[in-house]
Amino acid sequence: MVALGAGCSKDQESGIPASPDATPAATEPLGPEQAAASKAALAAYAGYIDASLEAEKSSNPLHPALKKYLGDPLLTQVRLAIRDAKEHGAMRTGTLISDPQVTDVRLDTVPASASIQDCLDGTGYRLIYIKDKSVVPGSASGRYLATATATRYPDGRWLISSGTAHRDQPC
């Protein structure tokens, strides 16, 4: 899967695709500021997934879109995973499907943050050897829970700063 899958194992830092139209899983209605933060967090998450997929498919750990949607420590982790796959002659291919929801928005903390939960389907997303297109042993994936944190940075941008694949938790 995305940064999640580029060299991830169980409960490893990861990346996840998002749909900007996903609705929060909150039980109480969101106020306008929380709703705007939720929308911005999901947009950052979708951008993170798209940028990670592009970077992984081109084996480019310095892909410029990564920095647009990811913050550290996740940015560094994703770059290292892509570089590691490239050094081993591998790359990601296929389709990763997600169904993210914002589960919590905290505007009263410094920095403000939003928690995202996703059910990732990596069934069609594979790590393959570039040379012969064979699947890297142990890289097959199914449906599993993934979580991420979006953080509002001082310049106002929302970036995905952490992510974890919970491969032992199917969804």
Side-chain angles (χ1 to χ4, degrees), residues 56-134:
E56 288 176 342
K57 288 179 181 180
S58 65
S59 297
N60 181 3
L62 298 177
H63 193 289
L66 291 173
K67 202 170 181 182
K68 184 175 178 181
Y69 298 103
L70 281 82
D72 276 320
L74 187 57
L75 175 60
T76 298
Q77 293 163 345
V78 168
R79 286 178 167 170
L80 289 173
I82 295 168
R83 187 186 76 193
D84 185 50
K86 182 178 181 178
E87 287 176 356
H88 288 93
M91 65 177 273
R92 292 269 169 195
T93 187
T95 304
L96 182 65
I97 300 169
S98 83
D99 183 23
Q101 294 183 335
V102 171
T103 58
D104 189 35
V105 176
R106 304 237 177 216
L107 299 177
D108 57 344
T109 60
V110 178
S113 65
S115 299
I116 299 170
Q117 183 173 311
D118 197 357
C119 180
L120 289 174
D121 184 351
T123 307
Y125 196 58
R126 299 278 185 248
L127 182 64
I128 63 167
Y129 289 112
I130 297 168
K131 184 177 179 181
D132 63 6
K133 306 291 187 239
S134 65

Coordinates of all heavy atoms in Angstrom, one line a residue, residues 56-134:
E56 N 5.6 6.1 -5.0 CA 6.0 4.6 -5.0 C 6.0 4.0 -6.4 O 6.9 3.2 -6.7 CB 5.0 3.9 -4.1 CG 5.1 4.2 -2.7 CD 4.1 3.5 -1.8 OE1 3.0 3.1 -2.3 OE2 4.3 3.4 -0.6
K57 N 5.1 4.4 -7.2 CA 5.1 3.9 -8.6 C 6.2 4.3 -9.4 O 6.7 3.7 -10.4 CB 3.7 4.2 -9.3 CG 2.6 3.3 -8.7 CD 1.3 3.6 -9.3 CE 0.2 2.8 -8.7 NZ -1.1 3.0 -9.2
S58 N 6.8 5.5 -9.1 CA 7.9 6.0 -9.9 C 9.2 5.8 -9.1 O 10.3 6.2 -9.6 CB 7.8 7.5 -10.1 OG 7.7 8.3 -8.9
S59 N 9.1 5.1 -7.9 CA 10.3 4.9 -7.1 C 11.1 6.1 -6.8 O 12.3 6.2 -6.8 CB 11.2 3.8 -7.7 OG 10.5 2.6 -7.9
N60 N 10.4 7.2 -6.5 CA 11.0 8.5 -6.3 C 10.7 9.0 -4.9 O 9.7 9.6 -4.6 CB 10.5 9.6 -7.3 CG 11.1 10.9 -7.1 OD1 12.0 11.1 -6.3 ND2 10.7 11.9 -7.9
P61 N 11.6 8.8 -3.9 CA 11.4 9.2 -2.6 C 11.4 10.7 -2.4 O 11.0 11.2 -1.3 CB 12.6 8.5 -1.8 CG 13.6 8.3 -2.8 CD 12.9 8.1 -4.1
L62 N 11.9 11.4 -3.4 CA 11.9 12.9 -3.3 C 10.8 13.5 -4.1 O 10.8 14.7 -4.5 CB 13.2 13.4 -3.7 CG 14.4 13.0 -2.8 CD1 15.7 13.5 -3.3 CD2 14.2 13.4 -1.4
H63 N 9.8 12.8 -4.5 CA 8.7 13.3 -5.3 C 8.1 14.5 -4.6 O 7.9 14.6 -3.4 CB 7.6 12.2 -5.4 CG 6.5 12.5 -6.4 ND1 5.6 13.5 -6.3 CD2 6.3 11.9 -7.6 CE1 4.8 13.6 -7.3 NE2 5.2 12.6 -8.2
P64 N 8.0 15.6 -5.4 CA 7.6 16.9 -4.8 C 6.3 17.0 -4.1 O 6.1 17.7 -3.1 CB 7.7 17.9 -5.9 CG 7.8 17.1 -7.2 CD 8.3 15.7 -6.8
A65 N 5.4 16.1 -4.5 CA 4.0 16.1 -3.9 C 4.0 15.6 -2.5 O 3.1 16.0 -1.7 CB 3.0 15.3 -4.8
L66 N 5.0 14.8 -2.1 CA 5.0 14.3 -0.8 C 5.1 15.4 0.3 O 4.4 15.3 1.2 CB 6.2 13.3 -0.6 CG 6.2 12.0 -1.4 CD1 7.5 11.2 -1.2 CD2 5.0 11.1 -0.9
K67 N 6.0 16.3 0.0 CA 6.2 17.4 1.0 C 4.9 18.3 1.1 O 4.7 19.0 2.0 CB 7.4 18.3 0.6 CG 8.0 19.0 1.7 CD 9.3 19.6 1.3 CE 9.9 20.4 2.4 NZ 11.2 21.0 2.1
K68 N 4.1 18.3 0.0 CA 2.9 19.1 0.0 C 1.8 18.6 1.0 O 1.0 19.3 1.5 CB 2.3 19.2 -1.4 CG 1.1 20.1 -1.6 CD 0.7 20.1 -3.0 CE -0.5 21.0 -3.2 NZ -1.0 21.1 -4.6
Y69 N 1.8 17.3 1.3 CA 0.8 16.6 2.1 C 1.2 15.9 3.3 O 0.4 15.6 4.2 CB 0.0 15.6 1.2 CG -0.7 16.3 0.1 CD1 -0.2 16.2 -1.2 CD2 -1.9 17.0 0.2 CE1 -0.8 16.8 -2.3 CE2 -2.5 17.7 -0.8 CZ -2.0 17.5 -2.1 OH -2.6 18.1 -3.1
L70 N 2.5 15.7 3.5 CA 3.1 15.0 4.6 C 4.0 15.9 5.4 O 4.7 16.7 4.9 CB 3.9 13.8 4.2 CG 3.1 12.6 3.7 CD1 2.6 12.7 2.3 CD2 4.0 11.3 3.9
G71 N 3.9 15.7 6.7 CA 4.8 16.3 7.7 C 5.6 15.3 8.4 O 5.3 14.1 8.4
D72 N 6.7 15.7 9.0 CA 7.5 14.7 9.8 C 6.8 14.4 11.1 O 6.1 15.2 11.7 CB 8.9 15.3 10.1 CG 9.8 15.0 8.9 OD1 9.7 13.9 8.3 OD2 10.6 15.9 8.5
P73 N 7.0 13.2 11.6 CA 7.9 12.2 11.1 C 7.5 11.3 10.0 O 8.3 10.6 9.4 CB 8.1 11.3 12.4 CG 6.8 11.3 13.1 CD 6.3 12.7 12.8
L74 N 6.2 11.4 9.5 CA 5.7 10.5 8.5 C 6.4 10.7 7.1 O 6.7 9.8 6.4 CB 4.2 10.6 8.3 CG 3.6 9.6 7.4 CD1 3.9 8.2 7.8 CD2 2.1 9.8 7.3
L75 N 6.7 12.0 6.8 CA 7.4 12.3 5.6 C 8.7 11.5 5.4 O 9.0 10.9 4.4 CB 7.6 13.8 5.4 CG 8.4 14.3 4.2 CD1 7.7 13.9 2.9 CD2 8.7 15.8 4.3
T76 N 9.5 11.6 6.5 CA 10.8 10.9 6.5 C 10.6 9.4 6.4 O 11.3 8.7 5.6 CB 11.6 11.2 7.7 OG1 11.9 12.6 7.7 CG2 12.9 10.4 7.8
Q77 N 9.6 8.8 7.1 CA 9.3 7.4 7.1 C 8.9 6.9 5.7 O 9.4 5.9 5.2 CB 8.3 7.0 8.1 CG 8.8 7.2 9.5 CD 7.7 7.2 10.5 OE1 6.5 7.4 10.2 NE2 8.0 7.1 11.8
V78 N 8.1 7.7 5.0 CA 7.6 7.3 3.7 C 8.8 7.4 2.7 O 8.9 6.5 1.9 CB 6.5 8.3 3.2 CG1 6.2 8.1 1.7 CG2 5.2 8.0 4.0
R79 N 9.6 8.4 2.8 CA 10.7 8.5 1.9 C 11.7 7.4 2.1 O 12.2 6.8 1.1 CB 11.4 9.9 2.1 CG 10.7 11.0 1.5 CD 11.4 12.3 1.8 NE 10.8 13.4 1.0 CZ 11.1 14.7 1.1 NH1 11.9 15.1 2.1 NH2 10.5 15.6 0.4
L80 N 11.9 7.0 3.3 CA 12.8 5.9 3.6 C 12.3 4.5 3.0 O 13.0 3.7 2.5 CB 13.1 5.7 5.1 CG 14.0 6.8 5.7 CD1 14.1 6.7 7.2 CD2 15.4 6.8 5.0
A81 N 11.0 4.3 3.2 CA 10.3 3.1 2.7 C 10.4 3.0 1.2 O 10.7 2.0 0.6 CB 8.9 3.0 3.1
I82 N 10.2 4.1 0.5 CA 10.3 4.2 -1.0 C 11.8 3.9 -1.4 O 12.0 3.2 -2.3 CB 9.8 5.5 -1.6 CG1 8.3 5.6 -1.3 CG2 10.1 5.6 -3.1 CD1 7.7 7.0 -1.6
R83 N 12.7 4.6 -0.7 CA 14.1 4.4 -1.1 C 14.5 2.9 -0.8 O 15.3 2.4 -1.6 CB 15.0 5.3 -0.2 CG 16.5 5.3 -0.7 CD 17.3 6.1 0.2 NE 17.5 5.3 1.5 CZ 18.0 5.8 2.6 NH1 18.4 7.0 2.7 NH2 18.1 5.0 3.6
D84 N 14.1 2.3 0.3 CA 14.4 1.0 0.6 C 13.9 0.0 -0.5 O 14.6 -0.9 -1.0 CB 13.8 0.6 1.9 CG 14.3 -0.8 2.4 OD1 15.5 -1.1 2.4 OD2 13.4 -1.6 2.8
A85 N 12.6 0.2 -0.9 CA 12.1 -0.6 -2.0 C 12.9 -0.5 -3.3 O 13.2 -1.5 -3.9 CB 10.6 -0.3 -2.2
K86 N 13.2 0.8 -3.6 CA 14.0 1.0 -4.8 C 15.4 0.4 -4.8 O 15.8 -0.3 -5.7 CB 14.2 2.5 -5.0 CG 14.9 2.9 -6.3 CD 15.0 4.5 -6.4 CE 15.7 4.9 -7.6 NZ 15.7 6.3 -7.8
E87 N 16.0 0.5 -3.6 CA 17.4 -0.2 -3.5 C 17.3 -1.7 -3.6 O 18.3 -2.3 -3.9 CB 18.0 0.2 -2.1 CG 18.5 1.7 -2.1 CD 19.0 2.1 -0.8 OE1 18.9 1.3 0.2 OE2 19.5 3.3 -0.7
H88 N 16.1 -2.3 -3.3 CA 16.0 -3.7 -3.4 C 15.4 -4.1 -4.8 O 14.9 -5.3 -5.0 CB 15.1 -4.3 -2.3 CG 15.9 -4.3 -1.0 ND1 15.8 -3.2 -0.1 CD2 16.8 -5.2 -0.5 CE1 16.6 -3.5 0.9 NE2 17.2 -4.6 0.7
G89 N 15.3 -3.1 -5.7 CA 14.7 -3.4 -7.0 C 13.3 -3.7 -7.1 O 12.8 -4.4 -7.9
A90 N 12.5 -3.0 -6.1 CA 11.1 -3.3 -6.1 C 10.3 -1.9 -6.2 O 10.9 -0.9 -6.0 CB 10.7 -4.0 -4.8
M91 N 9.0 -2.1 -6.5 CA 8.2 -0.9 -6.6 C 6.7 -1.4 -6.3 O 6.4 -2.5 -6.4 CB 8.2 -0.2 -7.9 CG 7.7 -1.1 -9.1 SD 7.8 -0.2 -10.6 CE 6.2 0.6 -10.6
R92 N 5.9 -0.4 -5.9 CA 4.5 -0.7 -5.7 C 3.7 -0.5 -7.0 O 4.0 0.3 -7.8 CB 3.9 0.2 -4.7 CG 4.4 0.0 -3.3 CD 3.6 -1.0 -2.6 NE 4.3 -1.4 -1.3 CZ 3.9 -2.5 -0.6 NH1 2.9 -3.2 -1.0 NH2 4.5 -2.8 0.4
T93 N 2.7 -1.4 -7.2 CA 1.8 -1.3 -8.3 C 0.4 -1.7 -8.0 O 0.2 -2.4 -7.0 CB 2.4 -2.1 -9.5 OG1 1.6 -1.9 -10.7 CG2 2.4 -3.6 -9.2
G94 N -0.6 -1.3 -8.7 CA -1.9 -1.7 -8.5 C -2.8 -0.6 -7.9 O -2.4 0.6 -8.0
T95 N -3.9 -1.0 -7.2 CA -4.8 -0.1 -6.7 C -5.0 -0.3 -5.2 O -5.1 -1.4 -4.7 CB -6.2 -0.3 -7.4 OG1 -6.0 -0.2 -8.8 CG2 -7.2 0.7 -6.9
L96 N -5.1 0.8 -4.5 CA -5.3 0.8 -3.0 C -6.6 1.5 -2.8 O -6.8 2.6 -3.3 CB -4.2 1.5 -2.3 CG -4.2 1.5 -0.8 CD1 -4.1 0.1 -0.2 CD2 -3.1 2.4 -0.3
I97 N -7.5 0.8 -2.1 CA -8.9 1.4 -1.9 C -9.0 1.8 -0.4 O -8.6 1.0 0.5 CB -10.0 0.4 -2.3 CG1 -9.8 0.0 -3.7 CG2 -11.3 1.0 -2.0 CD1 -10.7 -1.1 -4.2
S98 N -9.6 2.9 -0.1 CA -9.7 3.4 1.3 C -11.1 3.9 1.5 O -11.8 4.3 0.6 CB -8.7 4.4 1.7 OG -9.0 5.7 1.3
D99 N -11.5 4.0 2.8 CA -12.7 4.5 3.2 C -12.5 5.3 4.5 O -12.9 4.8 5.6 CB -13.8 3.4 3.4 CG -15.1 3.9 3.7 OD1 -15.4 5.1 3.4 OD2 -15.9 3.1 4.3
P100 N -11.9 6.5 4.4 CA -11.5 7.2 5.7 C -12.6 8.0 6.3 O -13.6 8.4 5.6 CB -10.4 8.1 5.2 CG -10.8 8.4 3.8 CD -11.4 7.2 3.2
Q101 N -12.5 8.2 7.6 CA -13.4 9.0 8.4 C -12.6 9.7 9.4 O -11.6 9.2 10.0 CB -14.4 8.2 9.1 CG -15.4 7.4 8.2 CD -16.4 6.7 9.0 OE1 -16.2 6.3 10.2 NE2 -17.6 6.4 8.4
V102 N -12.9 11.0 9.7 CA -12.3 11.7 10.8 C -13.1 11.3 12.0 O -14.3 11.3 12.1 CB -12.5 13.2 10.6 CG1 -12.0 14.0 11.8 CG2 -11.6 13.7 9.4
T103 N -12.3 10.8 13.0 CA -12.9 10.3 14.3 C -12.8 11.3 15.4 O -13.5 11.2 16.4 CB -12.3 9.0 14.7 OG1 -10.9 9.2 14.9 CG2 -12.5 7.9 13.6
D104 N -11.9 12.3 15.3 CA -11.7 13.3 16.4 C -11.1 14.5 15.8 O -10.2 14.4 15.0 CB -10.8 12.7 17.5 CG -10.8 13.6 18.7 OD1 -11.8 14.2 19.1 OD2 -9.7 13.6 19.3
V105 N -11.5 15.7 16.2 CA -10.9 17.0 15.8 C -10.6 17.7 17.1 O -11.5 17.9 18.0 CB -11.9 17.8 15.0 CG1 -11.3 19.2 14.7 CG2 -12.2 17.1 13.7
R106 N -9.4 18.1 17.3 CA -8.9 18.9 18.5 C -8.4 20.2 18.0 O -7.2 20.3 17.6 CB -7.8 18.1 19.2 CG -8.3 16.7 19.5 CD -8.2 16.5 21.0 NE -8.7 15.2 21.3 CZ -9.4 14.9 22.4 NH1 -9.6 15.9 23.3 NH2 -9.8 13.7 22.6
L107 N -9.2 21.2 18.1 CA -8.8 22.6 17.8 C -8.2 23.4 19.0 O -7.6 24.4 18.8 CB -9.9 23.4 17.1 CG -10.5 22.8 15.8 CD1 -11.7 23.6 15.4 CD2 -9.4 22.7 14.8
D108 N -8.4 22.8 20.2 CA -8.0 23.5 21.4 C -6.6 23.1 21.8 O -6.1 23.5 22.8 CB -9.0 23.2 22.5 CG -9.2 21.7 22.8 OD1 -8.8 20.9 21.9 OD2 -9.7 21.4 23.9
T109 N -5.9 22.2 21.0 CA -4.6 21.8 21.3 C -3.6 22.6 20.4 O -4.0 23.1 19.4 CB -4.4 20.3 21.1 OG1 -4.6 20.0 19.8 CG2 -5.3 19.5 22.0
V110 N -2.3 22.6 20.8 CA -1.3 23.2 20.0 C -0.2 22.1 19.7 O 0.4 21.6 20.6 CB -0.6 24.4 20.8 CG1 0.5 25.0 19.9 CG2 -1.6 25.4 21.1
P111 N -0.2 21.7 18.4 CA -1.0 22.2 17.3 C -2.3 21.5 17.3 O -2.5 20.5 17.9 CB -0.1 21.8 16.1 CG 0.6 20.6 16.5 CD 0.9 20.8 18.0
A112 N -3.2 22.1 16.5 CA -4.5 21.5 16.3 C -4.3 20.2 15.5 O -3.4 20.1 14.7 CB -5.5 22.4 15.5
S113 N -5.2 19.2 15.7 CA -5.0 17.9 15.1 C -6.4 17.3 14.8 O -7.4 17.6 15.4 CB -4.1 17.0 15.9 OG -4.8 16.7 17.1
A114 N -6.4 16.3 13.9 CA -7.5 15.5 13.6 C -7.1 14.1 13.5 O -6.0 13.8 12.9 CB -8.2 16.0 12.3
S115 N -7.9 13.1 14.0 CA -7.6 11.7 13.9 C -8.4 11.1 12.8 O -9.6 11.4 12.7 CB -7.9 11.0 15.2 OG -7.1 11.5 16.3
I116 N -7.8 10.3 12.0 CA -8.4 9.7 10.8 C -8.3 8.2 11.0 O -7.3 7.6 11.3 CB -7.8 10.1 9.5 CG1 -7.9 11.7 9.4 CG2 -8.4 9.4 8.3 CD1 -7.1 12.3 8.2
Q117 N -9.4 7.5 10.7 CA -9.5 6.0 10.7 C -9.9 5.6 9.3 O -10.8 6.2 8.7 CB -10.5 5.5 11.7 CG -10.5 4.0 11.8 CD -11.4 3.6 13.0 OE1 -11.2 4.1 14.1 NE2 -12.3 2.7 12.7
D118 N -9.2 4.6 8.8 CA -9.5 4.1 7.4 C -9.5 2.6 7.4 O -8.8 1.9 8.1 CB -8.4 4.6 6.5 CG -8.7 4.6 5.1 OD1 -9.8 4.1 4.7 OD2 -7.9 5.0 4.2
C119 N -10.4 2.1 6.5 CA -10.3 0.7 6.2 C -9.7 0.6 4.8 O -10.3 0.9 3.8 CB -11.7 0.1 6.1 SG -11.7 -1.7 5.7
L120 N -8.4 0.1 4.8 CA -7.7 0.0 3.6 C -7.9 -1.4 2.9 O -7.8 -2.4 3.6 CB -6.2 0.3 3.8 CG -5.8 1.7 4.1 CD1 -4.4 1.8 4.5 CD2 -6.1 2.6 3.0
D121 N -8.0 -1.4 1.6 CA -8.1 -2.6 0.9 C -6.9 -2.7 0.0 O -6.9 -2.0 -1.1 CB -9.4 -2.8 0.1 CG -9.6 -4.1 -0.6 OD1 -8.6 -4.9 -0.6 OD2 -10.7 -4.4 -1.1
G122 N -5.9 -3.4 0.4 CA -4.7 -3.6 -0.4 C -4.6 -4.8 -1.2 O -3.6 -5.2 -1.7
T123 N -5.8 -5.5 -1.4 CA -5.9 -6.7 -2.2 C -5.2 -6.6 -3.5 O -4.6 -7.5 -4.0 CB -7.3 -7.2 -2.3 OG1 -7.9 -7.2 -1.0 CG2 -7.4 -8.6 -2.9
G124 N -5.5 -5.5 -4.2 CA -4.9 -5.3 -5.6 C -3.7 -4.4 -5.6 O -3.3 -3.9 -6.7
Y125 N -3.0 -4.2 -4.5 CA -1.9 -3.4 -4.4 C -0.7 -4.2 -4.0 O -0.7 -4.9 -2.9 CB -2.1 -2.3 -3.4 CG -1.2 -1.1 -3.4 CD1 -1.0 -0.4 -4.6 CD2 -0.4 -0.7 -2.3 CE1 -0.2 0.7 -4.6 CE2 0.4 0.3 -2.4 CZ 0.6 1.1 -3.5 OH 1.4 2.1 -3.6
R126 N 0.3 -4.3 -4.8 CA 1.4 -5.2 -4.7 C 2.8 -4.6 -4.7 O 3.0 -3.6 -5.4 CB 1.4 -6.3 -5.8 CG 0.2 -7.1 -5.8 CD 0.3 -8.2 -4.8 NE -0.9 -9.1 -4.9 CZ -1.8 -9.2 -4.0 NH1 -1.8 -8.5 -2.9 NH2 -2.8 -10.1 -4.1
L127 N 3.7 -5.1 -4.0 CA 5.1 -4.8 -4.1 C 5.7 -5.8 -5.0 O 5.7 -7.0 -4.7 CB 5.8 -4.8 -2.7 CG 7.3 -4.4 -2.6 CD1 7.4 -3.0 -3.0 CD2 7.8 -4.6 -1.2
I128 N 6.3 -5.4 -6.2 CA 6.8 -6.3 -7.1 C 8.3 -6.0 -7.4 O 8.7 -4.8 -7.2 CB 6.0 -6.3 -8.5 CG1 6.1 -4.9 -9.1 CG2 4.6 -6.7 -8.3 CD1 5.7 -4.8 -10.6
Y129 N 9.0 -7.0 -7.9 CA 10.4 -6.8 -8.3 C 10.3 -6.2 -9.7 O 9.6 -6.7 -10.6 CB 11.2 -8.1 -8.4 CG 11.5 -8.6 -7.0 CD1 10.9 -9.8 -6.5 CD2 12.4 -7.9 -6.2 CE1 11.2 -10.2 -5.2 CE2 12.7 -8.4 -4.9 CZ 12.1 -9.5 -4.5 OH 12.4 -10.0 -3.2
I130 N 11.0 -5.1 -10.0 CA 11.0 -4.4 -11.2 C 11.5 -5.3 -12.4 O 10.9 -5.3 -13.5 CB 11.8 -3.1 -11.2 CG1 11.1 -2.1 -10.1 CG2 11.8 -2.4 -12.5 CD1 12.0 -0.9 -9.8
K131 N 12.5 -6.0 -12.1 CA 13.2 -6.9 -13.1 C 12.3 -7.9 -13.8 O 12.2 -8.0 -15.0 CB 14.4 -7.6 -12.5 CG 15.2 -8.4 -13.4 CD 16.4 -9.0 -12.7 CE 17.2 -9.8 -13.7 NZ 18.4 -10.4 -12.9
D132 N 11.5 -8.6 -13.0 CA 10.7 -9.7 -13.6 C 9.2 -9.6 -13.2 O 8.4 -10.5 -13.6 CB 11.2 -11.1 -13.2 CG 11.1 -11.3 -11.7 OD1 10.6 -10.4 -10.9 OD2 11.6 -12.3 -11.2
K133 N 8.8 -8.5 -12.6 CA 7.4 -8.2 -12.2 C 6.8 -9.3 -11.3 O 5.6 -9.3 -11.1 CB 6.5 -8.1 -13.5 CG 7.0 -7.1 -14.5 CD 6.8 -5.7 -14.0 CE 7.2 -4.7 -15.1 NZ 8.2 -3.8 -14.8
S134 N 7.6 -10.1 -10.6 CA 7.1 -11.0 -9.6 C 6.8 -10.3 -8.3 O 7.5 -9.3 -8.0 CB 8.1 -12.2 -9.4 OG 9.3 -11.7 -8.8

